[in-house]
Structure formats: C-alpha cells, structure tokens
Amino acid sequence: MRFDTLAVHGGERVPGPSGSVVFPIFQGTVFTSEPGESYHDIKYHRLNSTPTQTYLHDKLAALEGAEAAVATSSGMAAVTTILHTLLGKGDHLLVSDVLYGGTHDFVTAHAERLGWEYSTIDPQDPSSWAVRDNTRAVLVETITNPLMRVARLREVVEFARSNGIVSVVDNTFASPVNFRPAVAGFDLVFNSATKYLNGHSDLVAGSVAGSSALVEQVRHTLNLYGGSLDPHAGFLLARSLKTLGVRVRQQNSNALAVAAFLASSPKIAAVNYAGLPDHPDHGHARDLLAGYGGMLSFRLTGGVEAAETLLAALTLPAVAPSLGGVETLITRPAVTSHAGMSAEDRAAVGITDDLIRLSVGIEDAGDLLADFAQALDKV
Ligand code: PLP
C-alpha cells in the first residue's frame, strides 16, 4: 500500500470493535486478564498497552514504514525517553550542533548530571564526525530550525552502521510524508506529533518508531518514566494521521510558492527554504526528500523594524510560535523560540534579530501570496 492508503487503512482493525469503522476511545484503566497472561500482557495506559494505544502504535508504524512504534505524551518525552534508553553512565552521545531548543537544553543541562558525555557535530560535514570507544548513539534532525538546513542523512546512517552506534533522528519538520527515516536506515525516528502528525494545533504528543527490539526497549523505559499518551489525545492523533499526506503535500506546495514569491521581492534580503535552488542543501535535499516541507524563514532588507511592520500588516498568518498546523503561523525566533540564547550565540548560527519564521498552512496559495503582497507594500 502507498502512503495515503496506509494513512487511512494502516493499523485499522477490521472489523472494528462492535463493528465501529472508527476505532473508539477505550477510556477505562482496568481490563480483565485471560488465563495464562503475564504482567507484560496487562492493559494499562501507563504501560502503553490499551487497545486505543496499540491501534495508534500500529498506524504510526505503518506510516513510518517501521516494524514498531510507540506514542509518547510529548515530543520531549519521546527524545528524553530514547536517550535514557540508549545511554548509561559513562556513555557518549554525538549530537547535531543545531537542535530544537528543548532537546539542546536537555542535553546541555542534564547530560553531566546523568553521567553522560556528549559532543556536537556539524550534520552537513561528514568528514568531521568521529566516535569514541564509549559512543553509543548519534542524534540529528532532518530539517533544522529556523534556517532549514538539511542534514547529510544518508551519511549519518552509514556512519552509525560502520561504527556500531544507534542512529536517531528528529523528523518533526519533514514528517514521514517527506522523509521516512526508518526506511532510509535510521535505527530510531521520533516526532513531536504536536506538529505535522496531528496538524490541528490542538494536542501535545510524540512518537518513536524503529525495529521491534529497539522500540520495545524504549517502551519499557517509557513505562517506568510515565510519559504515556492519554487515550483522548491518542484518538485525536490517529484521526489526524488519516489526512497527513493530503495536508503536508498542500503545505509543501504552498511553502514553495511563498518561498519563490518572497525570493522575487526586492524587499527581501534572504529566504531559507531547501526547495529553492540557491539553498546550500538543495542538492542533497532534492535526492533525500519527497517534498521540502511547510517551514521557511526569511529576512527583509529593512531589518527588525520592517519585520515588525510586516507581521502587523499580514491578515492571514497568526503571529504565534509552534508549527505544523493547518493554519499559517509567523514568528520572529529571536524573541520566541530562540529568545533563551544570547544575541551573540544566535548571530553565530545565523539567527539574526530580523529573521522571520513561517509555518505555512493549507490555505489557498493565491490568498497567501495576495496577503504577503499587500503586507510587503506597507513595509
Ligand atoms: N522537536 C522539534 C523539532 C520541535 O520543534 C519540538 C517542539 O517545538 C519538539 C521536538 C518538542 O516537541 P513537544 O513540544 O511536543 O514536546
């Protein structure tokens, strides 16, 4: 089955409970056990084993093209549970030098306390990557925030395999519509399902997928740390997954149209979108990705003042952080997602104060372009 068919039919129980075509929410926390069942067979929300949860896990695994998947209470629960599963005292982790702020803060603030060592790598430069005797895993992101750099993903898989370490990727910005890491050979893929997987900006969740053996290890850690997904949120997430392909393809094409439109304006100083031929990662992104995603960033020639004027003049995009929903969102990372970094650190990685980040929704592309045209006229 192809992706859109899997999105609708993957993981579905046929026939569903009591003939229901839509898999229901099993709210109860107590299930009778059958003779011969062990502790591992108990159905309990924290053990991630109730019918609403296992249904969602099967759908997620189908979409990822992975043997198994497990849902978590947030994207952060996904990454912290993975790291707690893979790393013990004295182990070493390689991490990308540009990471989502929460992941970055977790590693930098907690690794030492937990007895883990870590070092950063440039995910665009495989020649600089090296393992130590105690390296256990490498963690990268498919598309980075907010400059939309695309990692050398094939090389990460080869590097991990040849060095016997576990490859882990945060695929939140791409979603499995644009890149399927498990199919490309990554050992573990996780998402903030809060973003594209859910796509309606109304729940917080995470997902982890990979081989049955690794996902089972992650699930055991999750069972003990307690970051399970509530069945109501799980139901909403499974419902949203059915339209994932339709939504993300529209976001891909809208984002490409907006990026090209902005790039053609004399009032725009730079556009960061891997779908544009002049993006530094366009070459390998074109080989790796089915689409370049719904996220882009740009700078105006008029600096911060012009950026604020543009944000105020736009009528369709909401000025808000977060991303991946059906509605277009716009934000200035220096005062939102990256406000925690010093201005010097931000400047060093290219996050200037006037940088604007856009999460493109599924609105009509013509309406979005018209809105940007009228707002640019006011700058
Ligand atoms: N990874 C990426 C790339 C993100 O953008 C986010 C949240 O913005 C996370 C992980 C964390 O996800 P959550 O907010 O669901 O915990």
Side-chain angles (χ1 to χ4, degrees), residues 123-171:
Q124 268 80 42
D125 180 13
S127 69
S128 68
W129 309 342
V131 290
R132 302 179 187 168
D133 288 347
N134 56 344
T135 307
R136 299 282 169 261
V138 55
L139 167 62
V140 297
E141 295 179 354
T142 313
I143 303 174
T144 63
N145 178 24
L147 298 176
M148 313 306 152
R149 297 299 307 263
V150 178
R152 291 279 178 174
L153 299 162
R154 256 187 214 123
E155 289 82 350
V156 174
V157 168
E158 281 160 24
F159 171 78
R161 281 205 182 140
S162 60
N163 288 290
I165 64 172
V166 180
S167 52
V168 184
V169 62
D170 180 340
N171 198 43

Side-chain angles (χ1 to χ4, degrees), residues 74-77 100 103 141 170 172-173 190 192 194-195 204-205 323:
S74 67
M76 283 309 299
Y100 164 66
T103 311
E141 295 179 354
D170 180 340
T172 300
F173 271 41
F190 70 94
S192 167
T194 315
K195 317 298 190 230
V204 171
L323 60 121

Side-chain angles (χ1 to χ4, degrees), residues 3-16:
F3 192 87
D4 286 341
T5 314
L6 284 171
V8 177
H9 295 284
E12 296 298 327
R13 303 330 190 205
V14 182

